[in-house]
Amino acid sequence: MPKRALVVGLGLIGGSIAKCIQKAHPETIVEGYDQNDETSKLAKILRVIDEENQNVLEAASRADFIVLATPVEQTVSLLGELARVPLRQDCLVIDVGSTKRQVMEAAKPLQNNGVTFIGGHPMAGSHKSGIQAARDHLFENAIFVLTPSSSGEKAINQAKEWLQGTKASFVVMPADEHDEITGVVSHFPHLVAASLVRHAFRSYEDEEALRRFAAGGFRDITRIASSNPTMWRDITLQNRDTLLRLLYSWKDEMDELTQVVELGDGTSILHFFQRAKSFRDELPQKKTGLLPSFFDLYVDVPDVPGVLSEITGHLAEESISVVNIRIVEARDEEVIGVLVLSFSTEDTRSYAAHCLRQRTTYEVTEAT
């Protein structure tokens, strides 16, 4: 009798995990459930899942592996429902939420029933969303955090076995540590980016001029502020304690910086920038971290008719797919090209850079 996997929530992440399970375990029947019936039907048509099911609890009762790919609040609710259903004793349940403390607490009744639960957080995404964007290489080389409770090495290995098709880099850590580190290098930077944008438009009355001059480096350093507001509202509330501590610490940091600038202490100001540059320059360039990676290529082109079609034409001839194209109107010391091309992988960007250097005389720079 073939094993069954159930994926609850058929968005980008859930759909991609379903495809990974299909790829690594072709003998397994992958069932899917989504609150939106049309999404479930589309997932079946696209062969992201093998079977669709409109009764999530019925499907869960016969599953060997259950993936909860829903927002954290919904996952917490689902865990409560699953605790009241007779699941298979050897069933493994994981979630894929961005915060873990709340989920791990909600999973305790489920585990008291003898079911194994492991928290999960695949740190990968895409500029696209929905089941149509699901792909089996979404998590390749990305960090996939597993946060077990009292389950031992056997359960962790079982999770890795089910998820081997992701080709992710698995990291095992406690839920509290996960929420702390993601708070520092992912959740808090999103708050800061959003705050920088709000502060800029509160500080200067001429919004049209501000938009024009913010098209360069400012737009890049605040890029993550364009993320889904509803999702980040939920993450902020779920990781509230960590973020409050970081916000208070940030206020102290800004107070110290304010004092240094007020004193006009050139040496201290220089050290401030040197320390930041040193740490930033030491960050790995070829590894995926908690924040999404952007693979940008800057092309310094003249403002003449036909230059955009020339560039895209060369890339099209080599079947190179461009995720996004942006024209920077204002040249300044932070902008190394007026045409910014974004690619889905580092290899694609490198190939595009090679192509353009071979076929044009424009300066081409890979962003670091």
Side-chain angles (χ1 to χ4, degrees), residues 159-170:
K160 291 179 180 179
E161 172 67 20
W162 274 110
L163 298 168
Q164 63 177 292
T166 63
K167 296 184 179 179
S169 176
F170 294 102

Side-chain angles (χ1 to χ4, degrees), residues 25 92 118 146 153-166 170-172:
H25 305 279
L92 173 65
I118 293 181
L146 299 175
E153 193 70 22
K154 181 180 178 181
I156 294 171
N157 290 334
Q158 185 184 1
K160 291 179 180 179
E161 172 67 20
W162 274 110
L163 298 168
Q164 63 177 292
T166 63
F170 294 102
V171 177
V172 179

Side-chain angles (χ1 to χ4, degrees), residues 245-315:
R245 181 182 61 77
L246 292 169
L247 284 168
Y248 289 130
S249 176
W250 179 255
K251 286 176 65 177
D252 292 340
E253 170 83 6
M254 290 299 97
D255 287 343
E256 289 180 24
L257 180 59
T258 299
Q259 186 176 25
V260 168
V261 175
E262 283 180 344
L263 292 173
D265 184 348
T267 301
S268 295
I269 294 172
L270 178 63
H271 288 167
F272 168 79
F273 286 111
Q274 283 178 332
R275 286 194 298 269
K277 182 181 186 307
S278 176
F279 180 78
R280 202 276 181 181
D281 289 349
E282 290 173 1
L283 295 177
Q285 294 185 24
K286 298 183 180 295
K287 291 186 178 180
T288 303
L290 297 181
L291 290 172
S293 296
F294 303 108
F295 303 99
D296 290 342
L297 194 66
Y298 292 85
V299 186
D300 200 7
V301 296
D303 184 10
V304 295
V307 68
L308 184 58
S309 60
E310 176 193 358
I311 297 295
T312 55
H314 290 318
L315 298 178

